[in-house]
C-alpha cells in the first residue's frame, strides 16, 4: 500500500534525493551523475531554501519508507527554472525511486499535488520534461499540455483555476 502525505520541512533530504532521481532518469545514469545533479545551479533551485511561503509538496511512502515525492514552488523571471512560464505559475518537480516506478506511485503523487494546487487557488502548474522521458505520458494523461519546446524537451502547463472573464 502507498500512502501520500504532505511534505514537511524535514523532508528536504528526500526532496534532494528525488531531484537527483529526476535529473538522472535516463538508463545508464551513474552515481556520479546523481551526485553532480545538484551542483547545477538551475537544478538546485528546486530545493534550495525549501519551505518558503508557497512551497507545497507531497511524499509517497510504503511501509513507512519514502519512495517518491512531488512538489512545486514559484520562480522569478530573473531566476527561472527549466519549466518556467510565469511568476504566478508554480513549477513542479516529481520523482519516484527506480524500484517503485510503473506502479501508479507517480500518478498518485501528481494527482495529490494537483489537488493541493487547485485548493490553494493556483492558476496553473508547469513543468519541464526532457525528450524521451516516459513520464511525459503521465503528465499529459493528467492534463498537462505543451506550451513550448524543442528537440531536447518541452515545457508543459496544466491550467487549474482559469481567471474569470
Amino acid at each position: 500500500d502507498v500512502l501520500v502525505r504532505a511534505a514537511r520541512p524535514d523532508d528536504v533530504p528526500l526532496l534532494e534525493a528525488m531531484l537527483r532521481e529526476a535529473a538522472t532518469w535516463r538508463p545508464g545514469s551513474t552515481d556520479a551523475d546523481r551526485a553532480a545533479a545538484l551542483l547545477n545551479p538551475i537544478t538546485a533551485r528546486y530545493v534550495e531554501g525549501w519551505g518558503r511561503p508557497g512551497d507545497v509538496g507531497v511524499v509517497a511512502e510504503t511501509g513507512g519508507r519514502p519512495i517518491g515525492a512531488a512538489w512545486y514552488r514559484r520562480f522569478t523571471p530573473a531566476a527561472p527554472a527549466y519549466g518556467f512560464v510565469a511568476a504566478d505559475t508554480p513549477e513542479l518537480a516529481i520523482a519516484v525511486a527506480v524500484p517503485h516506478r510503473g506502479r501508479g506511485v507517480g500518478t498518485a503523487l501528481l494527482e495529490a499535488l494537483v489537488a493541493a494546487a487547485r485548493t490553494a487557488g493556483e492558476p496553473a502548474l508547469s513543468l519541464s520534461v526532457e525528450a524521451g522521458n516516459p513520464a511525459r505520458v503521465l503528465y499529459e494523461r493528467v492534463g498537462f499540455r505543451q506550451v513550448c519546446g524543442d528537440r531536447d524537451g518541452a515545457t508543459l502547463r496544466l491550467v487549474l483555476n482559469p481567471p474569470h472573464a
Side-chain angles (χ1 to χ4, degrees), residues 4 56-58 70-72 90-94 106-127 138-144 157-161:
V4 177
V56 175
V58 291
W71 64 100
Y72 68 74
E91 184 180 344
L92 73 87
I94 183 171
T107 299
L109 285 167
L110 192 54
E111 288 177 350
L113 191 64
V114 166
R118 197 171 265 126
T119 298
E122 298 295 356
L125 290 172
S126 69
L127 60 83
L138 164 63
Y139 307 145
E140 291 176 342
R141 189 173 68 239
V142 170
F144 282 83
R157 181 180 63 202
L158 173 66
V159 175
L160 299 171
N161 295 299

Side-chain angles (χ1 to χ4, degrees), residues 17-123:
M18 289 296 102
L19 187 55
R20 286 186 199 96
E21 289 291 327
T24 58
W25 62 270
R26 283 188 168 81
S29 293
T30 66
D31 287 342
D33 295 331
R34 279 183 277 289
L38 293 181
L39 297 177
N40 177 316
I42 297 173
T43 302
R45 288 180 184 150
Y46 291 94
V47 292
E48 284 178 341
W50 173 260
R52 66 189 187 200
D55 288 350
V56 175
V58 291
V59 172
E61 295 180 337
T62 186
R65 296 180 46 127
I67 58 171
W71 64 100
Y72 68 74
R73 65 188 337 193
R74 281 184 165 68
F75 297 100
T76 66
Y82 294 109
F84 180 83
V85 297
D88 70 344
T89 300
E91 184 180 344
L92 73 87
I94 183 171
V96 174
V98 174
H100 302 279
R101 292 181 186 167
R103 299 180 182 177
V105 177
T107 299
L109 285 167
L110 192 54
E111 288 177 350
L113 191 64
V114 166
R118 197 171 265 126
T119 298
E122 298 295 356

Side-chain angles (χ1 to χ4, degrees), residues 130-150:
E130 290 182 74
N133 188 328
R136 182 169 179 157
V137 173
L138 164 63
Y139 307 145
E140 291 176 342
R141 189 173 68 239
V142 170
F144 282 83
R145 298 294 174 252
Q146 183 170 329
V147 293
C148 63
D150 58 28

